[in-house]
Amino acid sequence: MSLDFMEARCQTHSSRKKFGLCDDPPPAKNPAYIDETNGAKWIAVVINE
């Protein structure tokens, strides 16, 4: 399966200085996503200067 990450449906945005990336465990029904509130689910942290 290929994805074009330039398509709007493949993008999310945040203006927060710190947020996390989440990817639910298999069998995941949704693609990976950003989360701004629940740090327990984060698999990576983005410092957005």
Side-chain angles (χ1 to χ4, degrees), residues 1-7 12 14 21-22 24 28-32 35-36 38-41 44-45:
M1 176 179 172
S2 66
L3 291 174
D4 180 356
F5 292 104
M6 300 308 289
E7 288 185 32
T12 55
S14 178
L21 303 177
C22 302
D24 295 338
K29 295 182 174 101
N30 298 312
D35 180 85
E36 298 176 326
N38 188 0
K41 294 180 69 177
V45 176

Side-chain angles (χ1 to χ4, degrees), residues 29-48:
K29 295 182 174 101
N30 298 312
Y33 57 94
I34 63 174
D35 180 85
E36 298 176 326
T37 58
N38 188 0
K41 294 180 69 177
W42 298 358
I43 60 170
V45 176
V46 176
I47 305 300
N48 188 22

